[in-house]
Amino acid sequence: MLLMLLLVLMLLLVLMLLLVLMLSSGHSGCSAAAVRSVRIQGGTSHRRTVQLQWSPDASESLQSGNKFLCSDFILAVGHNAARFLSAHVLASANWDAVGRALVWNERSRAGTGQTSEESACVFYRHKDNPSVFVCQVTCYVAEDQLFQWAEKVFDCLQSRELNVTVLSDSSVADYKTADYLSSSSAPFLRSLHTSAFSDQPVCQSLEQPNIVTGLPAAVLNHCQVHRIAAVVYQCYSDVIGPDSVTMETYKPALTKLGRSIQVDSTPNTDVLRKFIRTTEIQSNLYI
């Protein structure tokens, strides 16, 4: 009887030891998985940080503690806005590419027929008037990167007497109005500006309840907080992708900046042909 009792006790001790070992092994596995998860999240968070890369001359100027002297900053967000600048402004030899903003996220990979450089945010500076900057943005900037982008870019520009003009693409399907909107009405411009903007916009203001979103909204908000004169010209179009008619709609917005920027009345046909052809190839899914 005593022997059987001892055997039962020994069996219970063995079972308890096995249970303790299993629990400790499970906790170790959970801890290792947690550590791996934190490492992955940390790596992804680091990659999502907006990075600015400047040319050697521009970088040297910034490293000495200075900021770019900037009187006009023109930001084009979207394919039509960016291609308008390419065809009507940047086609001349008066511009130097001085930097780019690298933005990594789930949708920023270069698409078909588009290199990683073409999908980035590229900055240009006028050769004869170095205080005029242009930026083309054709890549997606995620919500958690918008504030970073605005803070980092404007931290490089002197805000005194700075004027910001934003050209932004939008679908006419997103435009809200109580009146009937015929297809012949598009494309058209609407504007929204900061309280520091004292000039007269070239089109009527954006009506409620319509709003500006994405990078244009982040830039406008930054300028409002820092009392910088800024205006957003939002072009509502019924065409998806680069379209010459939609591009032309932006012309009045920059023609008014004639003292600072020269807008070619006739676009560079080679540049236009390149963009339109690329769009047609990408859209031709069925032959």
Side-chain angles (χ1 to χ4, degrees):
M1 187 71 179
L2 182 61
L3 182 61
M4 290 184 64
L5 183 60
L6 288 174
L7 288 173
V8 171
L9 289 175
M10 290 178 64
L11 183 60
L12 289 173
L13 287 173
V14 170
L15 290 174
M16 290 178 64
L17 287 172
L18 288 174
L19 183 61
V20 170
L21 288 173
M22 290 175 63
L23 289 174
S24 62
S25 176
H27 283 305
S28 298
C30 291
S31 299
V35 169
R36 284 196 297 271
S37 177
V38 169
R39 287 177 178 174
I40 291 172
Q41 291 177 2
T44 302
S45 176
H46 176 71
R47 292 186 68 184
R48 295 178 72 91
T49 301
V50 177
Q51 300 179 24
L52 300 183
Q53 293 182 352
W54 299 103
S55 65
D57 292 340
S59 182
E60 183 179 352
S61 175
L62 291 174
Q63 286 176 358
S64 61
N66 299 322
K67 293 186 178 184
F68 294 129
L69 179 63
C70 186
S71 60
D72 287 280
F73 179 56
I74 297 95
L75 172 65
V77 182
H79 289 285
N80 280 307
R83 301 324 179 198
F84 165 74
L85 290 183
S86 295
H88 289 269
V89 178
L90 298 173
S92 68
N94 296 326
W95 297 88
D96 285 327
V98 294
R100 66 180 67 250
L102 301 182
V103 181
W104 183 92
N105 53 56
E106 60 279 1
R107 286 172 52 186
S108 64
R109 299 179 182 87
T112 305
Q114 186 182 42
T115 66
S116 59
E117 289 188 358
E118 290 174 330
S119 66
C121 313
V122 185
F123 298 89
Y124 299 88
R125 182 166 58 182
H126 201 282
K127 292 181 179 179
D128 300 327
N129 189 357
S131 66
V132 178
F133 283 77
V134 163
C135 178
Q136 292 177 302
V137 181
T138 55
C139 66
Y140 172 72
V141 184
E143 289 187 8
D144 60 315
Q145 298 170 322
L146 297 173
F147 177 79
Q148 288 185 61
W149 195 100
E151 286 289 316
K152 290 191 174 183
V153 170
F154 281 94
D155 191 51
C156 297
L157 307 176
Q158 288 189 6
S159 59
R160 185 179 180 184
E161 299 182 358
L162 171 62
N163 292 280
V164 178
T165 302
V166 182
L167 310 180
S168 173
D169 291 353
S170 187
S171 172
V172 73
D174 296 329
Y175 183 73
K176 300 176 179 64
T177 177
D179 302 323
Y180 172 73
L181 190 65
S182 64
S183 58
S184 60
S185 303
F188 57 90
L189 284 179
R190 290 293 184 269
S191 66
L192 196 63
H193 59 81
T194 63
S195 56
F197 183 81
S198 59
D199 208 346
Q200 183 67 33
V202 299
C203 64
Q204 69 182 81
S205 299
L206 184 65
E207 309 93 335
Q208 294 183 349
N210 295 288
I211 59 174
V212 174
T213 61
L215 190 57
V219 169
L220 194 67
N221 181 68
H222 178 93
C223 292
Q224 177 67 23
V225 171
H226 292 85
R227 300 179 182 178
I228 298 173
V231 58
V232 173
Y233 290 109
Q234 190 145 287
C235 180
Y236 290 93
S237 176
D238 56 352
V239 178
I240 299 175
D243 170 63
S244 58
V245 177
T246 302
M247 294 180 197
E248 289 284 330
T249 308
Y250 285 114
K251 190 180 292 184
L254 292 193
T255 302
K256 200 165 187 178
L257 298 176
R259 65 187 184 278
S260 303
I261 191 171
Q262 186 66 38
V263 179
D264 295 334
S265 57
T266 56
N268 187 301
T269 54
D270 292 334
V271 175
L272 278 179
R273 193 178 297 113
K274 171 189 173 184
F275 294 133
I276 301 301
R277 188 190 307 120
T278 302
T279 305
E280 289 175 348
I281 292 173
Q282 294 177 8
S283 301
N284 196 11
L285 299 180
Y286 300 98
I287 301 177

